Amino acid sequence: MYLRYVFVVIAFCFALAVSAAAADEYLSPALQTNEVILTPKPGPAPRINGPEVYGARPGHPFLYRIPTQGERPIKFSAKGLPRGLHLNSHTGIITGFTPKAGEYTVTLRAKNKYGKDSRSFKIASGETLALTPPMGWNDWYAHYDRITDAKMRQAADILVSSGMADVGYQYVDIDDCWMNCRRNNDPMQFGPFRDQNGNILPNKHFPDMKALTDYIHAKGLKAGIYTSPGPRTCGGFAGSYGHEAQDARQFANWGFDLLKYDWCSYSHEVTNPPSLADMKRPYELMGSLLKQQNRDILMNLCQYGMGHVWEWGAEVGGQSWRTAGDLGNSLDHIFQVALNNSEHAAWQKPGAWNDPDYIQIGWVGIARKYGQPRKFPFTPTEEYSFMSLWCLMGSPLFYSADLTRLDDFTLNVLCNPEVIAIDQDPLGKGARVIFVGDNQFLMVKDLENGGHALGLCNATESPVDMTANWSACGLSDAQHVRDLWRELDLGDYTGSFSARVPPHGVILVRLGAVK
Ligand code: GAL
C-alpha cells in the first residue's frame, strides 16, 4: 500500500511538472510554457459523451447533437426515440418536436470502422430545462464590441472542428453589442435602436439574425443572445426597457435558445439602492415572457449576485444566475471565486445553476479597452485548476476566449470528458468545501451513482502535501480513486488519499466506495 502511495504521488508530480527538477520550480516562469497534456488523446473509435439527462418542453422544437468523439464517418442510431423525434444517422443530430410530458429512456449508439459505443440518454419532457449545467461559448472575452455575424458563424464552425461540440459544448452565445448605439467609432454600429413598429434592430454587423441561428442550428448547436432590462446595455447599446414582450417574441422568432439578461442601466429605473422587489421585477417579467414563447429559451440572470439572487433566480424563471461581478481580466483569484460561489451550493439543483462567470483560459481577444490580444495570465497548472474548480462546483461551462487561437493544451483542458462528466452529473450538486489548512481546502461533490468527485485545492504559492481523510469527507473507509485528468485508475485507498499539490493547483479525482 505504502509503495503504491509513493508511486501515485510521484506520478502526479511528474505529470504536473514534468521537467521541474524540484517542487519549488513550479513557480518558475519557465513552467508558464511547460504545458503538459495530461489527458490521453481520444482514439478513433466512437465515444458518446454529453449529459445523461436532457430537459425540454412538450411540443417545442427539439434539437440535440449527440456529443461524440471518434473518427468520422460515424453511423448513429437510437433505440426508444419517442415519436416526433428524428435522428440523422450521419450527423448524430436529433430534431423534431418534444413529445408529451414524461420521461423517455433512449439508447444512443455510434459506430465506425474502429468500434462502437452506446449510452443511455433520458429525455425529460416537462417544464424544467437545463437539467445539467449549460455548456457553450460566449463571445464577450474574445470580441467585446467587435462582434459580427461572421465571427459567430466562425465560432460555431470551430466548436465543431475543434471537437468541443463532441464533449458537450453546445450554445454559441452573442453577448453585448449586436444592437445599435448612439455614439461609436464604428459606423456599422450606429443607427436607430428600433424600427417604426418598435422592433429592435441589430446593427449592420448582423444583417440577418434568423439566417445566423439557422446556420448554428444546422450544426446541431444552439444560439444565445443578450440584452438588458434597462434602456441601455452595459456597453451603451439598445436595451429592452419598455419593449420586453416585443423583444422576447423577436428573440424567439429569430430562433434563439438562450437569453443573458444583464441588469446594466436598469439601476436608473429604480430607487437607489434597489429593493428586493425592484431586483426581481425585470427578471420575473422576462422569465414569464420567455416561457410564453413557442421554443425553449434559457434565461441567464446577470445582475452580479444582488439580493441573494441564488435564492430566487429559479423562481423568476432563470436556469442560471451570475453569483458575482465580472471575472474580467484580473483572474488572480479563481480560488476565492470558487469559495464564494460554493457558499450558495445549497441553492443549486437540476435546472437551477450558480454561475461564477465564464471559463477564461487561452487567449483574450482584441478588446476596445485592452489593446492587443494576449494570453490570460495563467500557468498551465492554473488552467487545469480553473476547469477542475468549475466542474466541482457544477457550474455552467461557457468558454469565453478567442477560439481561433485555441491550442492543443487549452483544448485538452477544456475537453476531458471524464472531468466534464463531473460537472454534468445529473444529481446537480455543487461541491462542499472542507478547509484543511490556510488556503488549502478539499471540495467534495456527491454524484448520482453514489460516488464522489474530490478536489485537493492548494490556493497557496507553494507546493503542499495534502491529505483527504475519508472520515472528514463523510465517506466510507475504503475508496477507489481515479485520476480524472489522466483517465487513470490509481487503486483502492483505505482511510485517506494524499497528493503533493502544486501552487494554485487542484488534484481532481473521482471516488467510489470499495464494496
Ligand atoms: C457585464 C457582464 C459581462 C458582459 C458585459 C457586456 O455587465 O457582466 O459578462 O456581458 O456586461 O457589456
Side-chain angles (χ1 to χ4, degrees):
M1 184 69 223
Y2 177 74
L3 271 180
R4 180 187 286 153
Y5 162 86
V6 171
F7 170 76
V8 165
V9 171
I10 291 170
F12 261 124
C13 296
F14 182 73
L16 284 169
V18 166
S19 66
D24 56 6
E25 280 188 70
Y26 281 119
L27 290 173
S28 93
L31 189 63
Q32 307 259 344
T33 53
N34 186 5
E35 297 177 337
V36 181
I37 293 182
L38 297 177
T39 305
K41 262 205 176 330
R47 173 185 171 135
I48 302 178
N49 301 306
E52 288 164 33
V53 52
Y54 181 81
R57 294 201 175 120
H60 284 187
F62 187 97
L63 176 67
Y64 184 78
R65 179 187 189 276
I66 305 169
T68 309
Q69 292 170 305
E71 203 171 293
R72 268 51 179 185
I74 290 178
K75 194 169 181 320
F76 292 90
S77 60
K79 193 169 150 258
L81 204 60
R83 271 164 70 110
L85 296 185
H86 171 260
L87 166 65
N88 180 315
S89 63
H90 302 290
T91 61
I93 299 172
I94 305 173
T95 52
F97 288 89
T98 307
K100 68 176 190 328
E103 288 192 350
Y104 303 85
T105 302
V106 181
T107 306
L108 303 175
R109 295 197 177 111
K111 187 173 171 187
N112 67 9
K113 65 178 178 196
Y114 301 100
K116 57 185 179 180
D117 193 17
S118 71
R119 173 165 176 151
S120 171
F121 178 65
K122 192 162 76 188
I123 297 172
S125 172
E127 284 312 299
T128 314
L129 304 177
L131 292 175
T132 60
M135 294 177 64
W137 174 83
N138 171 289
D139 88 79
W140 184 243
Y141 288 101
H143 301 301
Y144 301 86
D145 63 346
R146 302 182 189 208
I147 188 60
T148 64
D149 173 283
K151 286 175 183 158
M152 293 306 299
R153 287 173 191 242
Q154 181 192 45
D157 293 347
I158 298 177
L159 280 195
V160 174
S161 65
S162 66
M164 287 179 70
D166 295 341
V167 293
Y169 293 90
Q170 185 186 33
Y171 288 86
V172 188
D173 289 2
I174 318 177
D175 206 270
D176 200 350
C177 311
W178 58 268
M179 327 75 168
N180 279 314
C181 60
R182 292 267 187 254
R183 258 192 312 266
N184 199 304
N185 293 336
D186 177 0
M188 300 279 279
Q189 296 174 331
F190 181 75
F193 284 6
R194 293 176 181 273
D195 69 12
Q196 66 271 35
N197 299 319
N199 296 311
I200 182 82
L201 292 170
N203 66 42
K204 296 190 190 69
H205 290 300
F206 289 91
D208 187 340
M209 281 295 197
K210 181 69 175 73
L212 173 59
T213 65
D214 284 348
Y215 184 88
I216 293 170
H217 291 154
K219 292 175 181 291
L221 303 175
K222 298 191 173 184
I225 196 160
Y226 165 109
T227 187
S228 170
R232 302 269 194 287
T233 67
C234 295
F237 289 64
S240 287
Y241 187 71
H243 294 273
E244 293 84 355
Q246 207 168 359
D247 286 359
R249 234 177 1 254
Q250 180 68 88
F251 299 151
N253 289 341
W254 278 337
F256 283 99
D257 309 292
L258 177 151
L259 175 69
K260 173 174 171 183
Y261 208 34
D262 194 352
W263 177 268
C264 304
S265 64
Y266 193 79
S267 309
H268 305 307
E269 310 306 322
V270 290
T271 53
N272 184 13
S275 67
L276 185 60
D278 289 337
M279 290 176 202
K280 288 186 179 179
R281 196 174 306 113
Y283 293 99
E284 270 161 354
L285 176 60
M286 187 51 83
S288 80
L289 288 166
L290 292 178
K291 258 192 207 151
Q292 291 163 33
Q293 307 308 314
N294 58 5
R295 56 185 302 110
D296 296 348
I297 306 179
L298 305 186
M299 179 167 72
N300 172 236
L301 284 73
C302 181
Q303 45 84 289
Y304 338 116
M306 289 188 301
H308 295 186
V309 63
W310 41 89
E311 294 175 10
W312 50 267
E315 187 184 295
V316 299
Q319 283 74 27
S320 61
W321 41 84
R322 281 267 300 278
T323 51
D326 290 16
L327 230 70
N329 289 326
S330 58
L331 291 154
D332 45 356
H333 56 297
I334 51 163
F335 284 86
Q336 193 54 49
V337 169
L339 287 172
N340 296 347
N341 189 68
S342 297
E343 283 177 18
H344 321 308
W347 297 95
Q348 183 164 303
K349 59 181 184 204
W353 307 103
N354 293 317
D355 173 7
D357 212 350
Y358 304 127
I359 300 167
Q360 294 166 54
I361 57 177
W363 285 77
V364 202
I366 307 168
R368 184 182 41 187
K369 292 186 225 148
Y370 306 112
Q372 288 306 303
R374 66 185 176 89
K375 211 162 185 315
F376 282 112
F378 289 122
T379 63
T381 299
E382 289 166 335
E383 288 208 11
Y384 280 117
S385 297
F386 204 133
M387 190 72 187
S388 300
L389 292 168
W390 261 234
C391 290
L392 283 160
M393 290 186 283
S395 308
L397 298 179
F398 279 84
Y399 184 51
S400 187
D402 190 344
L403 290 169
T404 65
R405 288 167 188 267
L406 265 180
D407 56 25
D408 283 353
F409 176 76
T410 298
L411 210 49
N412 149 73
V413 174
L414 290 170
C415 291
N416 176 312
E418 294 198 20
V419 172
I420 291 173
I422 297 303
D423 179 79
Q424 295 289 305
D425 186 78
L427 200 56
K429 294 278 189 202
R432 55 183 187 279
V433 173
I434 303 163
F435 273 91
V436 289
D438 272 356
N439 284 318
Q440 297 161 40
F441 57 94
L442 309 173
M443 289 179 84
V444 184
K445 185 180 200 282
D446 301 343
L447 303 177
E448 167 101 338
N449 69 357
H452 296 84
L454 166 70
L456 296 95
C457 310
N458 172 16
T460 78
E461 307 291 327
S462 323
V464 174
D465 293 317
M466 290 182 68
T467 295
N469 279 310
W470 300 149
S471 60
C473 298
L475 304 174
S476 58
D477 205 41
Q479 296 285 329
H480 185 77
V481 179
R482 182 167 171 85
D483 174 349
L484 293 177
W485 283 112
R486 288 159 68 222
E487 300 185 342
L488 200 65
D489 283 329
L490 303 180
D492 297 344
Y493 285 73
T494 307
S496 66
F497 172 74
S498 303
R500 168 154 282 214
V501 191
H504 296 182
V506 175
I507 300 290
L508 179 66
V509 293
R510 200 184 62 212
L511 311 175
V514 178
K515 299 273 176 331

